[in-house]
Amino acid sequence: MPTTRLWNLRRYWFWMVTVVFALFSSTLLFSADNTQAPASTLDRVRQTGTLRLGYYADVGPFSYQDEAGKPAGYAISLCQQIAKDLKTEMDLSNLDVEFVLVTGADRFEAISQGKVDFLCGPSVETFARRKEVSFSVPIFPAGLGALVRADAPAQVRDALIGREPPYRPLWRASIGLALQHRTFSAVTNTTALTWLTSKREQFKLDAKIVPVESHDKGVELVLNGSSDVLFGERSILLEAKKRNPGKDLVVLDRLFTYEPLAFALPRGDEDLRLFVDQSLSRLSRSGETQSLYRRFFGEPDENALAFFRLNTVAD
């Protein structure tokens, strides 16, 4: 009997040692795998020597393709400066900057799935979007505007710019009458579309909203009469008008919202966000950001200069 118990005890201890060894080995393998995998975007860039930047083809003057089909624009130029800083900081003389084309529909998904390291295009920060991605310090003082045909009815233009006609003392009543049975458009998956939908409900308008895949498509609908108004970021609308000379388009002299633009980044990657914000602040302090603004938008007014001062973070 004692011999049997001793034998069972030995078998038990042998089994325990085997299980512990297996668990320990698995932990080592898991740790080894984690050591090999990049812990952050900057680690991956350091390992691969490649920085992947998302951009749009048709969101000028921020992010677009030039006549040679290459990425260009205000946001692209800022990102190229950030890439230069990264090359210097990481001592990566052969850093390869790869631009990856994205759309308004898949841009944030491209970040969360690791297809791009961050987005070199205009993005408005909202709480809903912060559930998916993070954002840099603001890069541009933007807001929503409206584009119409030059021959749009005067009452529509007056209502949109907030001018009260003499025969209607209440603006809300005026806008309800002038904008009833109209068709409005905005690009899919933008704050313009969200804002437009909320305003239709607020003013109880019997109006149709047509989402479009791009600003160019929205301009096309306005030109052929399928849409009365295209809503979008005002600088983008001004650029769209510039690309269609002689087409009798008008961008109204009004901002409906104030929505500073920023770069979208991977959520939770604080090291990358810190580097991007440091680089953007350095560019602003040196005056390079203001020079780029001048190149793509003209001379900055005092409001724009104040915007850059307020959004520059000290070292």
Side-chain angles (χ1 to χ4, degrees), residues 77-90:
S77 297
L78 285 175
C79 282
Q80 289 170 334
Q81 292 297 324
I82 293 172
K84 287 182 180 179
D85 286 347
L86 192 61
K87 183 185 295 187
T88 301
E89 179 72 18
M90 291 189 166

Side-chain angles (χ1 to χ4, degrees), residues 102-113:
V102 299
T103 66
D106 68 5
R107 52 181 171 165
F108 297 139
E109 186 177 290
I111 296 173
S112 60
Q113 292 182 353

Side-chain angles (χ1 to χ4, degrees), residues 9-77:
L9 186 60
R10 287 176 176 174
R11 284 173 50 183
Y12 174 77
W13 280 107
F14 178 79
W15 177 80
M16 285 293 293
V17 170
T18 302
V19 170
V20 171
F21 180 79
L23 290 173
F24 182 71
S25 299
S26 298
T27 302
L28 287 177
L29 287 172
F30 181 77
S31 299
D33 288 342
N34 275 355
T35 301
Q36 292 174 3
S40 69
T41 300
L42 295 182
D43 288 334
R44 189 202 61 76
V45 171
R46 186 179 287 107
Q47 286 188 15
T48 63
T50 301
L51 178 66
R52 299 169 304 191
L53 304 177
Y55 80 104
Y56 303 113
D58 59 352
V59 188
F62 295 97
S63 175
Y64 60 94
Q65 289 179 334
D66 62 15
E67 295 179 355
K70 295 182 179 180
Y74 173 74
I76 298 297
S77 297

